[in-house]
C-alpha cells in the first residue's frame, strides 16, 4: 500500500533525525551556533495577549551565526545577550556519537574508593569501586537536570533542594530550571547533598509522589516557546508518572495553567506549588530539578523515559484535547474529497500581502481553504479546527507550532522569508514536524517576494550579503529580517509546492 511506503520513508528519515539528535547530545562538533537572545517583547508578554493561540507571535528564536563556532565567544557583543546553543549540522552526521549523558563531571564525581582485588591469575590489582549514580546531568549543552530518590527536602522561598543521603559527599550545584541554561533572568535552584540530616530543615509537608521543579520564566508566553520550553519537556519528564507527580514552579504565570489546562491536567493530578511564595519545607521521595530536553520540539526516544517519541507527544496532545483525527485524509481512498488547507496568516510582521490571491490559487487546486489568524481565546476550540486540516501553510512564525495538533501524514508547508533564514526555519519546524510523522515542505522565497525590497535597494547588503547582517547579532538581524519583512507570495512559483502536498496526500 502506498501509504505504508510513505510511512516507511518517513520512518527512515526519523531514524536519521534520531542520529542527529544523538549527535547534538554528544556535542562533539559545532558547526552551527545559534544564539538566543532575550527579546523584551517576549519576556514582557502581557497575560492579556497570552490567551491567543499565537499565529502572530514571534518565534524568538536562535540567532543564526555561522561564524561563531566557539561558545566561548558568547556575549562579547552586548546585543548577543543571554544564551547560546549548539546545533548540529547534517554534515556532522559522519562523526560517531561518543559521549552521551551521565558522564560525571568535575563537580559531581562521586567518591572514588580504591579497593584491592585479586585477579584470577593471583596478581593483586587496584580497582575502582563502581561510582554512585550521579545526581545531576550537565552533559546537555542546553539543560541541567538533577534527579534524586530518597530523603529530598525542598525549601520553597530560597528555592533550595537538599538531598540527605549518607552515601553522598557534600556538594552543591546551582541549577537553571529552564531548558535554556544560559538564560540570565531566571533564579537558579540550589541543589545540595548532605550526608546527615543535621542542620537540614525538617519537613513541614510530607508527600508521597515525585516532584518536578521548573520555572515558567524565560520565553514563556510565546506559543512556540510554551511548547518547546515547557509543554514538551514536561511531557518527557512527567508523563511516565501517569499523573502521580507534583509540579513545584518558580516564576508562576497563572494564565499558563489556564491556557494549557487540558495538557496539564493529563500530566498531574496535583495542585502545583508556587515555590517563590512558599515557606514550607516540602519532602518528596523522588525529586527532579529542571526538565528533560533533547532538542527543540524533538524527542530522542533512545534517551526518553518509556522510549517516548514525538508521535507519542502528538498522540498525547490529541487525546488531551479529544481531537479525533489520527491520520490525514487519504486521497487514494477518498479521491473525491477536498483536502483542507489551513492558511496561517499573521497580523504583525511576516504577513502575506496577497492572501486573496493565495486562497484563490489553492482553491483552484481543489483545496478547501481555511484562512485563520489564529488569535483565538480558547486553545481547545482552535486546535479542533487545526486537527480537521490536512495541510497547514504559513510564513515562519510561532503559529506553525500548531502542527502538533495535525493528524499524522498531514503536510506542513513552511514559507521561509529572505535572507538565509533556512537553517533556523528547518531547525524550528522542519525536523520536529518530520519527527511527528508529518510531511514537511519548505519554500524559500526569492528577494522579489520580500517586502524588504521596498525598504532597501536591491544591491544593499541586506540582500547581497545577509551574513553581514546575521553577524551583527540576533537583535539587529531580527529587526530587519523578522520584524520588517512581509511576504508577497509568487503564486505561480509556489503552486507546485501545494501540488506536491496534494500528491503526498494521494499516497
Ligand atoms: C514527615 O516525615 C518525617 C519522617 O517520617 C517525620 O519525622 C516528620 O515529622 C513528618 N512531618 C510532617 C509534617 O508530617
Ligand atoms: C531552501 O534553502 C536551503 C538553504 O539554501 C536549501 O538547503 C533548501 O534545499 C532550499 N529549499 C528548497 C525547497 O529549495
Amino acid at each position: 500500500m502506498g501509504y505504508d511506503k510513505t510511512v516507511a520513508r518517513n520512518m527512515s528519515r526519523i531514524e536519521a533525525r534520531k542520529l542527529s539528535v544523538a549527535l547534538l547530545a554528544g556535542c562533539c562538533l559545532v558547526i552551527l551556533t545559534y544564539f538566543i537572545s532575550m527579546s523584551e517583547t517576549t519576556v514582557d508578554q502581557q497575560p492579556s495577549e497570552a490567551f491567543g493561540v499565537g499565529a502572530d507571535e514571534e518565534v524568538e528564536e536562535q540567532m543564526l551565526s555561522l561564524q561563531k563556532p566557539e561558545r566561548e565567544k558568547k556575549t562579547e557583543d552586548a546585543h548577543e545577550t543571554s544564551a547560546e546553543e549548539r546545533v548540529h549540522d547534517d554534515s556532522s552526521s559522519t562523526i560517531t556519537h561518543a559521549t552521551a549523558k551521565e558522564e560525571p563531571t568535575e563537580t559531581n564525581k562521586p567518591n572514588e574508593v580504591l579497593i584491592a582485588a585479586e585477579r584470577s591469575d593471583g596478581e593483586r590489582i587496584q580497582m575502582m569501586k563502581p561510582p554512585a549514580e550521579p545526581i545531576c546531568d550537565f552533559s546537555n549543552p542546553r539543560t541541567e537536570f538533577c534527579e534524586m530518590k530518597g530523603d529530598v527536602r525542598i525549601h520553597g522561598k530560597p528555592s533550595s533542594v537538599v538531598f540527605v543521603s549518607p552515601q553522598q559527599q557534600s556538594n552543591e550545584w546551582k541549577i537553571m530550571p529552564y531548558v535554556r541554561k544560559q538564560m540570565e533572568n531566571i533564579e537558579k535552584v540550589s541543589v545540595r547533598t548532605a550526608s546527615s540530616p543535621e542542620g537540614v530543615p525538617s519537613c513541614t509537608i510530607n508527600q508521597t509522589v515525585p516532584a518536578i521543579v521548573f520555572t515558567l520564566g524565560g520565553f514563556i508566553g510565546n506559543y512556540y516557546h510554551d511548547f518547546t520550553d515547557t509543554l514538551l519537556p514536561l511531557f518527557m519528564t512527567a508523563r511516565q508518572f501517569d499523573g502521580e507527580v507534583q509540579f513545584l514552579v518558580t516564576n508562576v504565570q497563572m494564565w499558563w495553567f489556564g491556557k494549557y489546562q487540558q495538557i496539564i491536567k493529563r500530566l498531574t493530578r496535583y495542585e502545583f506549588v508556587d515555590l517563590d511564595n512558599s515557606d514550607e519545607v516540602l519532602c518528596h521521595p523522588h525529586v527532579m530539578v529542571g526538565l528533560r530536553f533533547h532538542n527543540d520540539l524533538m524527542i530522542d526516544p533512545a534517551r526518553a523515559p518509556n522510549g517516548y517519541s514525538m508521535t507519542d507527544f502528538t498522540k498525547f496532545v490529541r487525546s488531551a484535547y479529544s481531537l479525533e483525527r489520527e491520520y490525514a485524509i487519504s486521497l487514494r481512498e477518498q479521491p473525491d474529497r477536498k483536502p483542507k488547507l489551513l492558511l496561517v496568516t499573521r497580523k504583525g510582521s511576516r504577513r502575506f500581502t496577497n492572501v486573496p490571491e493565495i486562497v484563490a490559487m489553492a482553491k483552484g487546486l481543489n483545496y478547501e481553504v481555511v484562512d485563520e489568524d489564529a488569535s483565538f481565546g480558547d486553545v481547545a476550540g482552535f486546535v479542533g479546527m487545526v486537527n480537521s486540516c490536512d495541510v497547514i501553510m504559513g510564513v515562519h512564525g510561532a503559529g506553525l507550532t500548531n502542527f502538533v495538533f495535525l493528524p499524522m501524514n498531514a503536510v506542513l508547508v513552511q514559507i521561509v522569508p529572505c535572507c538565509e533564514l533556512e537553517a533556523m526555519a528547518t531547525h524550528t519546524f522542519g525536523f520536529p514536524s518530520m519527527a511527528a510523522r508529518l510531511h514537511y515542505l519548505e519554500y524559500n522565497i526569492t528577494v522579489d517576494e520580500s517586502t524588504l525590497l521596498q525598504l532597501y535597494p536591491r544591491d544593499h547588503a541586506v540582500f547581497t550579503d545577509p551574513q553581514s547582517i546575521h553577524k551583527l547579532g540576533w537583535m539587529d538581524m531580527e529587526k530587519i529580517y523578522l520584524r520588517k519583512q512581509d511576504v508577497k507570495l509568487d503564486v505561480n512559483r509556489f503552486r507546485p509546492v501545494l501540488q506536491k502536498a496534494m500528491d503526498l496526500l494521494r499516497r
Side-chain angles (χ1 to χ4, degrees), residues 35-49:
F35 288 79
I36 316 153
S37 86
M38 283 188 277
S39 144
E40 282 153 32
T41 51
T42 15
V43 174
D44 299 341
Q45 195 114 20
Q46 295 306 306
S48 58
E49 277 176 45

Side-chain angles (χ1 to χ4, degrees), residues 276-329:
D276 301 327
N277 291 300
S278 164
D279 203 25
E280 304 286 353
V281 178
L282 307 158
C283 293
H284 290 262
H286 182 181
V287 174
M288 287 142 279
V289 178
L291 297 176
R292 294 181 190 277
F293 179 87
H294 299 153
N295 204 342
D296 285 307
L297 287 181
M298 294 282 271
I299 308 180
D300 173 10
R303 293 186 291 141
N306 296 342
Y308 290 134
S309 64
M310 264 308 274
T311 51
D312 290 320
F313 177 68
T314 54
K315 190 172 175 183
F316 168 76
V317 293
R318 281 197 303 269
S319 151
Y321 287 100
S322 308
L323 303 178
E324 281 163 16
R325 292 173 84 222
E326 193 177 353
Y327 288 100
I329 192 172

Side-chain angles (χ1 to χ4, degrees), residues 151 153 202-207 280-281 283:
D151 182 355
R153 309 177 190 188
S202 330
C203 309
T204 60
I205 297 177
N206 285 330
Q207 296 283 17
E280 304 286 353
V281 178
C283 293

